[in-house]
Amino acid sequence: MGLLQNITKRMPSSGLPSLDDFSKRKNRITPRLAFFRRRIRLRGNSSISIPLGVVLLFPCIVIILILVLFLRHPSSPGRILMPAGAPPSIRKISEQHDRVFATGCLDPHTQNKGERANAAFVVLARNKELEGVIQSVKSIERHFNRWFHYPYVFLNDGEFNSTFKETVMNYTSAPVEFGQIDPSMWGFPEWTDAKVAKEGIAVQGDAAIMYGGMESYHHMCRFYSGFFYKHKLLEKYEWYWRLEPEIKYFCDITYDPFQYMASANKTYGFTIAVKELKETVPNIFRYASAYKRKNNLQSKGLWEMFIESPPEDPKPLPKDDPKYKPPLPDELRKIEPNAGGVNEVDPETMEGEKYNMCHFWSNFEIARLDWFRSKEYEEFFDMMDRSGGFWMERWGDAPIHSLAAGALLSPSDIHYFRDFGYRHTTIQHCPANAPSRQLPREPFLEKTTSDEKKRREEDEYWESWDPEKENGVGCRCRCDTDIVDVEGKQGSCLAEWVEVAGGWASP
Ligand code: GDP
Ligand code: MN
């Protein structure tokens, strides 16, 4: 743009009108436009001159082009500059390995005609979480289980009190079982030195690692990583749907996800994939990678979802570039630190790969139990467990499940429930509603709300659902508006999933 400063504006030289000037006269009818026809010279003494309009127009076009390209780029942070009311459009994901089971609403009364799957909701909870549990049960009953009546299994390391049990049963007409977890599945195993483990946990507390200093949280993560599927009350089931206290569903689920998972030959389903806090799992990847190597496992295409993409090699400079440095002779390369010899090994990498912290967020999961019960998963868990990472670090069950899936499964074994609107704490995924695929909703008047007016209001809230939108897949979704969808947020691993699932199918 420095060029503009060199431009000196000059009036066209005055003098007797030439023939040429006569031919231009008709243009003077519009004097305002004539301003832009004034010619200016590029330098004071230059013989070349251009119309002022062109000089003014050129930088404007450049600026507009830059803005358009910047804002249109899908991964551009500039998207947040877009005015409200023009949210980014929804992109389609390739259906090469996985596709949404139902776009928009189906008729639940037709859908529930068939057989039920051998499946249950699994809820781990404590008595003090009763309120949060009620919220979750109410939500899943309203949006799904009022049509499908899948049973619930509640598990606790302690004993559920009668208030908890009686209250919960009021909120569903489906069968409910309550079970206690015995010490073989909870707490320090006999082969660990509990004193060392407790010290390890204390250190993480001092380091302010999230939940790091909370012993019960470590036990919970280990239970969900390697034991829940072996609990006596789950033995009879083939499938489970994990439910946590204080979650919310936003859309109606008008089909049976277990049956669709079975028909599509799926093993594991998720709604949200995000990045883990690095300090909770510093060494998890080295062990997972070692497991993969020890068993000679080749990636089936999912492992890459969890690998940091290698930085692009910087282009070698041309030899005439002033910054060009010739490569060191071999003898020197061995001495010079960080010059490409052995010293360049990154302590965080394993087999040249680095964990990108992505994982399926396991507070929601619909999965096949026999995968967890398989010899391969069992060996994976055992190797991870023996490393001590559940105590000396704060490994979550989410990265454990995800890295096991990465080592053992392929993208086509995984299902993204993109049509499920779901919220846990401050993260939500909530789809837009599918155009022309909405069906009228039947009221669901909850029996436990005694206040008649409140009961109706609670239901009426769900009667006015969000607008339909191109490429939306939801059925009667009404999303919370205080937070934005995780799909478009930093820390989301949607892009990583899309990459292994076959890429984007729309711009
Ligand atoms: P977050 O979702 O990671 O913030 O962790 P939560 O506190 O929600 O715990 C995850 C799940 O484990 C929830 O279903 C909790 O109810 C359950 N949970 C966590 N700690 C314990 C525990 O010590 N005992 C029992 N019985 N359940 C627990
Ligand atoms: Mn939770």
Side-chain angles (χ1 to χ4, degrees), residues 90 104 251 431-436 438 465-478:
I90 302 161
C251 312
N433 286 314
S436 325
Q438 303 302 308
W465 53 84
D466 294 343
E468 298 166 12
K469 215 179 139 185
E470 195 189 345
N471 292 340
V473 289
C475 167
R476 301 191 288 261
C477 307
R478 182 163 178 183

Side-chain angles (χ1 to χ4, degrees), residues 14 232 368 375 431 499:
S14 56
K232 201 162 45 38
R368 232 192 186 105
K375 184 172 153 281
E499 183 75 30

Side-chain angles (χ1 to χ4, degrees), residues 51 216 332 391 429 498:
S216 62
L332 286 178
W391 324 119
H429 163 61
V498 170

Side-chain angles (χ1 to χ4, degrees), residues 371-387:
W371 176 58
F372 289 101
R373 293 168 184 149
S374 68
K375 184 172 153 281
E376 291 78 14
Y377 184 88
E378 201 55 15
E379 281 170 7
F380 175 82
F381 171 73
D382 200 55
M383 179 165 171
M384 302 305 279
D385 194 22
R386 296 277 164 175
S387 77

Side-chain angles (χ1 to χ4, degrees), residues 124-126 129 156-157 186 211 216-217 220 244-245 424:
L124 177 70
R126 291 156 285 198
E129 290 172 297
N156 187 355
D157 58 311
W186 193 278
Y211 294 125
S216 62
Y217 197 89
M220 180 276 290
E244 274 208 9
H424 174 272

Side-chain angles (χ1 to χ4, degrees), residues 214-347:
M214 199 171 159
E215 190 186 310
S216 62
Y217 197 89
H218 290 255
H219 297 322
M220 180 276 290
C221 291
R222 185 167 172 267
F223 172 75
Y224 260 136
S225 297
F227 298 96
F228 76 99
Y229 48 85
K230 290 193 214 158
H231 192 278
K232 201 162 45 38
L233 291 182
L234 289 189
E235 268 173 9
K236 55 182 173 290
Y237 293 115
E238 239 179 293
W239 296 90
Y240 76 101
W241 181 332
R242 175 158 159 189
L243 196 64
E244 274 208 9
E246 278 187 85
I247 56 89
K248 260 194 207 174
Y249 283 91
F250 297 117
C251 312
D252 280 341
I253 299 162
T254 51
Y255 64 92
D256 182 337
F258 298 115
Q259 294 293 13
Y260 277 74
M261 289 277 284
S263 310
N265 208 8
K266 297 285 182 181
T267 299
Y268 186 96
F270 72 98
T271 56
I272 289 171
V274 282
K275 298 209 170 173
E276 183 58 286
L277 300 168
K278 209 171 165 176
E279 62 274 19
T280 64
V281 289
N283 282 293
I284 199 169
F285 183 74
R286 294 174 359 102
Y287 284 95
S289 183
Y291 165 83
K292 192 165 155 276
R293 189 197 172 132
K294 184 171 153 246
N295 293 287
N296 261 321
L297 298 172
Q298 296 298 313
S299 165
K300 295 180 185 168
L302 186 62
W303 182 252
E304 286 68 21
M305 178 177 170
F306 307 106
I307 304 304
E308 203 155 272
S309 26
E312 274 171 42
D313 276 342
K315 282 213 177 75
L317 292 167
K319 284 196 176 133
D320 53 359
D321 191 291
K323 288 197 194 118
Y324 174 80
K325 273 198 223 159
L328 293 170
D330 276 355
E331 317 84 75
L332 286 178
R333 276 163 70 96
K334 293 194 186 99
I335 310 164
E336 175 121 331
N338 301 325
V342 273
N343 293 309
E344 221 173 50
V345 173
D346 179 339

